[in-house]
Amino acid sequence: MSKDITLNVNGIDHHVNIQGNETLLKVLRDKLGLTAAKEGCGAGECGACAVIYNGSPASSCLILAVEAEGVEILTLEGITPKDHLHPIQQAFIDKGAVQCGFCTPGMIITTYSLLKSNPDPSEDEIKKAISGNLCRCTGYVQIIEAIREAARRLKRVKGRRK
Ligand code: FES
Ligand code: FES
């Protein structure tokens, strides 16, 4: 059965008609044209579909769109400034940590959430945070270094704003 709902994504209310069994991931991608979140496993295991959901990273493939009404949702599109890259994205590029288009968006989302709550994470904290972002193609060394570098850059940006 279809239903009209309002989803707050990246600070904007979107009125959409959805099917009761449609996932948030499907609605973001197919109805709102926000394709940064990807469908990898479709089962909550790979992190490719990560979004910030009420302030925490979540697998949008496991959330029904109907459940997301009234929730603040942030996608990679909402994090990325219009005219330049976010410091996290730039750090991933500079440290050679960009992998494929499936796993990288989720890793950036996870990093964004980690550094919001913990601006100076230890290596163990970084490893724990990204443990839900799977990529079998890498050893994660550059990704961890990129997250450290992003933390340094964000601290500098914050320092300049004071
Ligand atoms: S697609 Fe959602 S966790 Fe893999
Ligand atoms: S899953 Fe993206 S490079 Fe391995």
Side-chain angles (χ1 to χ4, degrees):
M1 207 174 64
S2 75
K3 187 175 186 306
D4 293 325
I5 62 166
T6 303
L7 290 179
N8 185 279
V9 185
N10 301 331
I12 298 169
D13 279 341
H14 298 268
H15 307 291
V16 278
N17 182 266
I18 55 136
Q19 297 298 320
N21 62 354
E22 271 181 305
T23 63
L24 175 60
L25 175 63
K26 192 165 166 42
V27 172
L28 288 173
R29 291 181 56 82
D30 297 350
K31 297 199 167 149
L32 301 185
L34 298 169
T35 55
K38 302 291 188 295
E39 177 149 12
C41 65
E45 285 169 9
C46 72
C49 64
V51 297
I52 310 280
Y53 191 81
N54 260 352
S56 303
S59 298
S60 60
C61 71
L62 292 184
I63 299 167
L64 288 175
V66 71
E67 297 171 334
E69 206 169 15
V71 173
E72 283 184 18
I73 299 153
L74 189 59
T75 70
L76 187 60
E77 289 91 343
I79 290 171
T80 311
K82 283 211 170 11
D83 50 354
H84 58 278
L85 293 175
H86 189 281
I88 295 172
Q89 294 168 312
Q90 193 60 55
F92 267 64
I93 291 172
D94 295 344
K95 293 294 174 183
V98 172
Q99 303 289 319
C100 77
F102 268 78
C103 58
T104 301
M107 290 193 192
I108 305 275
I109 286 280
T110 300
T111 303
Y112 178 89
S113 173
L114 169 69
L115 298 183
K116 272 251 170 227
S117 60
N118 180 1
D120 196 12
S122 66
E123 184 163 333
D124 281 349
E125 288 168 331
I126 292 173
K127 283 183 181 166
K128 192 166 170 224
I130 58 167
S131 60
N133 292 93
L134 300 187
C135 164
R136 295 203 171 83
C137 330
T138 175
Y140 284 83
V141 173
Q142 285 118 312
I143 292 166
I144 292 166
E145 186 42 42
I147 296 172
R148 286 187 147 148
E149 179 62 21
R152 285 191 284 271
R153 291 182 188 185
L154 286 172
K155 267 200 276 184
R156 280 204 296 272
V157 171
K158 240 183 166 177
R160 280 203 295 270
R161 284 201 194 121
K162 276 186 188 160

